[in-house]
Amino acid sequence: MNKKQEGEINKAINFLEEFIWLFESKRNFKFNEVPNILRELLDDPVNIGPVEKKYVSPNPNIHFLIGVLPRLFKDRSLFPLNSSIIQFANEVLDIDVSSNAKRSRIELIGHIVCETDNLSDSKLEKLVRALTQLTGDEEKLTKVKEAQINNNFSWNETIQKLTE
């Protein structure tokens, strides 16, 4: 037997020793169940991965808005006053928010976000596309902020321009 063969045999012996040690250290583990578990995963790949990848929203546009609106409304350079939030809710979302109700900014945002869940998903597609562009492009967001200084600013027109 040459040195190379002897080295290979020693590697095999070391492997077996480590394998036996590992096997004995997991006595409570049922190794005979592993093939069945793996077969089940192959048959149903949906069960692999984090929960958020399994969830499919029945109203993806509404759920997008529920996530993005608070972030937008909290931006004081985009919505400097509660009245600007109310204007957006009334004009764009068709959510009737009275301006005479004394609410904090957070209460107002919460009310609008809760009401968003009642909106028609099909009507919101254009708004979601526009807000996706707005939140994903700092330059567009800056232009909207600058346009708000003009007294003729309209969220509806802004949404139209963003979706063209």
Side-chain angles (χ1 to χ4, degrees):
M1 181 180 313
N2 64 30
K3 291 282 185 190
K4 184 177 180 182
Q5 290 172 327
E6 193 177 305
E8 293 299 316
I9 291 173
N10 278 325
K11 285 181 188 177
I13 291 169
N14 290 338
F15 170 76
L16 283 174
E17 286 176 337
E18 288 182 29
F19 182 73
I20 290 167
W21 175 85
L22 177 65
F23 192 77
E24 288 179 349
S25 71
K26 304 294 181 190
R27 288 183 189 214
N28 294 336
F29 188 76
K30 296 182 181 180
F31 287 97
N32 61 339
E33 293 179 6
V34 171
N36 289 332
I37 293 168
L38 294 174
R39 283 187 186 98
E40 286 176 20
L41 287 174
L42 281 175
D43 291 340
D44 190 11
V46 173
N47 286 328
I48 300 172
V51 170
E52 72 272 6
K53 292 189 178 177
K54 295 177 200 173
Y55 176 74
V56 177
S57 172
N59 298 319
N61 291 333
I62 291 172
H63 289 105
F64 171 82
L65 290 177
I66 289 172
V68 79
L69 287 177
R71 194 175 86 211
L72 287 175
F73 289 154
K74 287 172 49 180
D75 183 342
R76 290 202 179 262
S77 59
L78 189 60
F79 293 95
L81 304 170
N82 284 2
S83 60
S84 56
I85 296 173
I86 293 169
Q87 178 188 7
F88 182 91
N90 290 337
E91 286 181 17
V92 178
L93 300 173
D94 289 326
I95 295 175
D96 186 30
V97 180
S98 63
S99 57
N100 60 358
K102 296 288 183 195
R103 294 185 180 146
S104 71
R105 187 175 190 90
I106 297 298
E107 288 174 318
L108 184 60
I109 293 169
H111 172 73
I112 293 168
V113 168
C114 288
E115 289 299 314
T116 301
D117 194 44
N118 299 324
L119 299 175
S120 164
D121 185 50
S122 60
K123 292 180 182 179
L124 297 175
E125 189 171 335
K126 185 185 232 180
L127 174 61
V128 167
R129 278 188 283 128
L131 292 179
T132 300
Q133 287 185 28
L134 190 62
T135 57
D137 187 335
E138 194 63 38
E139 187 177 322
K140 286 182 182 179
L141 189 58
T142 301
K143 287 181 182 178
V144 169
K145 290 175 183 179
E146 290 170 358
Q148 283 183 307
I149 296 169
N150 184 348
N151 288 336
N152 296 340
F153 178 80
S154 163
W155 272 108
N156 280 328
E157 288 176 19
T158 303
I159 299 298
Q160 293 292 334
K161 289 176 185 174
L162 287 170
T163 56
E164 287 176 349

